[in-house]
Amino acid sequence: MIFSNTPRPETLKSLADVKHVPFWLDDPARPEPASALTESITADLVVIGAGFTGLWTALLAKQADPSRDVVLLEAGETGIGASGRNGGFVASSLTHSFQNGLNRWPKELKKIIELGHKNLDGIEATIKQFNIDCDFIRSGEINVANEEYQIEELREEAEHSAQYGERIQFLDREQIRARVNSPTYLAAIHDPSVAMVNPARLVWGLRRACLEVGVRLFEGTQVTGLEEKRESVLVKTSYGQVESKRAALATNAFPPLLKRLSFYVVPVYDYVLMTEPLSKEQRDAIGWHGREGVSDNGNQFHYYRTSADGRILWGGYDAIYYPNNEVAPHLENRPETFARLAENFFQTFPQLTGLRFTHAWGGVIDTCSRYTAFWGQAYGGKVAYAMGYTGLGVGASRFGAQVMLDLLDGKKTERTELQMVKSKPFPFPPEPFRSPIVNFTRWSLNSADDNGGERNLWLKILDALGLGFDS
């Protein structure tokens, strides 16, 4: 592994003045919160959670049937969770990498890829329809090899994926460094079917779109429980309730309202840095004028991209699970991870030594054992859920919303007939076994990165069970 875990003193100086606030949310365009629900109301559809999944569900439901009374409930503010904290990669992939999809659903992968491209087109069409100012750009994503053994893996992915209609281009050392100049790059692949976006601006734009089409939004409204009634679902909140014909759960990494779902998802914290704007000289030193998203090819990987005002977002690598599925604001600040990320940044771009970081933050990812979303229903089909995006939700959430609406409407579609939709991931064990298993797996992945990709017995067992990490 080329990346150091020991930050130098000059690296720590780059973090001296950071704000522990997500950069995307630190924006005067942030809308004023809507009022909380303080009465008993009725609806045709109630959506719980106003992140990407919930917003797409509410918007698509109202667009499909303008007469449908749709209520959207959010415990905090719209986009305050993962939707406003991520890197802003909008992938066409619904399977968290070509290889992951091929390993799990080889017979239907071509259809899944087609649906993924159609989904990305749908996202762009909505952005244009509602004139959402969110810096959406189809720049593609570059996946780089930092170790010799990774070069052939990338070459094989480019060649194999072409058989399924993908247009992934292999780049040798000279070609990738001509695009983005880092001494750590040995080769890369470029996937054009990925867009970059300001995720907070997109989530706020979808919020406005929902309001324009007549969705009723209540923020600051914590849902405390669900109760099944004969022909409806009663959604109880802190100060009111909604009786609705149907309910869609879009709470993702937060504690699920259906307790059985806690076996399928673990909340994993991801951490991110944002630099100050680069000078012209600094940008010329690294190139990177195409604004592509970039990630490296290790098991523990970094993802990074540029912003509209010339900054670099740098995140990933550490993925931290806290015992007992803990999700809390104090976990969003992890100085040791921020220091490690900063050190890795300057190893990748030594030309930028002296650059400072302005923002550092964390967010929680709804991680499942197959690394891609899953769906299901409860209460006799009156409730549907989508979760487990494992960091892929910026793009895949729209598809997830479509599947939920298909299920709630009782429609048999090309989406609902996919084995990917019909199947569930392997459940995680409960505590006290969950923490040691998750942490040992993470240690094993780190060891594989340290040893030329060689996977130990534990990882080989997970691979054999279809639980291996292929992103």
Side-chain angles (χ1 to χ4, degrees), residues 271-282:
Y271 296 91
V272 190
L273 300 175
M274 182 67 96
T275 73
E276 63 188 347
L278 274 64
S279 68
K280 181 181 183 302
E281 292 74 21
Q282 289 169 327

Side-chain angles (χ1 to χ4, degrees), residues 49-369:
F52 282 127
T53 299
L55 289 163
W56 281 117
T57 303
L59 179 60
L60 292 170
K62 198 69 176 174
Q63 287 181 310
D65 181 1
S67 68
R68 181 157 34 187
D69 183 13
V70 179
V71 169
L72 178 58
L73 305 178
E74 165 58 40
E77 296 177 31
T78 298
I80 198 68
S83 297
R85 297 168 180 269
N86 59 81
F89 287 60
V90 193
S92 68
S93 173
L94 302 174
T95 60
H96 216 177
S97 84
F98 170 78
Q99 193 61 46
N100 192 46
L102 183 64
N103 289 348
R104 299 182 192 283
W105 305 287
K107 293 182 180 179
E108 61 186 27
L109 181 57
K110 192 165 187 178
K111 171 56 67 175
I112 294 172
I113 289 173
E114 290 173 0
L115 290 170
H117 284 284
K118 186 184 297 184
N119 181 64
L120 182 58
D121 290 341
I123 292 172
E124 183 173 19
T126 298
I127 289 171
K128 291 178 179 177
Q129 177 185 355
F130 290 97
N131 194 28
I132 298 174
D133 178 15
C134 60
D135 192 32
F136 181 91
I137 178 172
R138 287 204 184 221
S139 55
E141 180 182 2
I142 294 170
N143 186 216
V144 299
N146 296 314
E147 304 264 13
E148 290 287 344
Y149 76 90
Q150 298 168 353
I151 298 174
E152 193 56 35
E153 292 178 359
L154 294 180
R155 192 189 304 274
E156 290 176 358
E157 180 173 342
E159 293 173 353
H160 202 175
S161 64
Q163 302 172 28
Y164 291 81
E166 296 284 50
R167 296 182 293 111
I168 296 175
Q169 177 189 7
F170 179 80
L171 305 172
D172 62 23
R173 176 173 170 170
E174 289 70 29
Q175 289 172 317
I176 178 54
R177 293 190 182 183
R179 287 194 183 213
V180 185
N181 183 21
S182 168
T184 67
Y185 294 171
L186 305 179
I189 54 175
H190 177 251
D191 181 357
S193 65
V194 179
M196 297 292 117
V197 75
N198 177 320
R201 289 287 186 98
L202 176 57
V203 87
W204 296 333
L206 292 173
R207 177 188 188 273
R208 174 173 56 81
C210 284
L211 295 175
E212 287 180 5
V213 298
V215 173
R216 292 190 284 164
L217 170 65
F218 298 93
E219 295 179 294
T221 300
Q222 178 73 52
V223 174
T224 58
L226 302 177
E227 180 182 326
E228 183 180 12
K229 304 194 77 173
R230 186 181 182 92
E231 301 293 336
S232 63
V233 177
L234 190 63
V235 179
K236 300 178 180 180
T237 76
S238 299
Y239 306 107
Q241 62 183 24
V242 185
E243 185 171 349
S244 179
K245 295 176 183 176
R246 297 289 184 268
L249 307 186
T251 54
N252 296 312
F254 292 94
L257 291 164
L258 298 175
K259 289 186 178 180
R260 67 176 181 269
L261 297 182
S262 63
F263 289 104
Y264 292 102
V265 170
V266 294
V268 172
Y269 272 83
D270 178 61
Y271 296 91
V272 190
L273 300 175
M274 182 67 96
T275 73
E276 63 188 347
L278 274 64
S279 68
K280 181 181 183 302
E281 292 74 21
Q282 289 169 327
R283 174 56 68 86
D284 289 343
I286 63 171
W288 200 1
H289 296 291
R291 296 202 58 198
E292 305 94 337
V294 185
S295 59
D296 47 52
N297 201 42
N299 291 305
Q300 292 182 278
F301 61 93
H302 307 91
Y303 58 84
Y304 39 115
R305 49 80 56 96
T306 57
S307 66
D309 61 348
R311 302 167 184 264
I312 297 176
L313 176 146
W314 178 270
Y317 199 74
D318 278 353
I320 308 299
Y321 169 74
Y322 294 96
N324 298 308
N325 294 344
E326 186 178 7
V327 175
H330 74 273
L331 302 177
E332 296 166 11
N333 180 11
R334 196 168 194 267
E336 60 268 43
T337 291
F338 296 143
R340 183 178 297 119
L341 281 172
E343 181 64 30
N344 295 170
F345 176 88
F346 290 116
Q347 286 179 269
T348 303
F349 296 120
Q351 314 96 302
L352 300 182
T353 297
L355 191 69
R356 299 178 77 85
F357 296 98
T358 61
H359 294 73
W361 70 94
V364 64
I365 295 172
D366 57 329
T367 303
C368 72
S369 62

Side-chain angles (χ1 to χ4, degrees), residues 34 40 117 126 181 329 331 347 374 387 406 411 432 450:
S40 296
H117 284 284
T126 298
N181 183 21
L331 302 177
Q347 286 179 269
F374 65 94
M387 59 196 313
D406 288 343
K411 292 181 179 178
D450 284 341

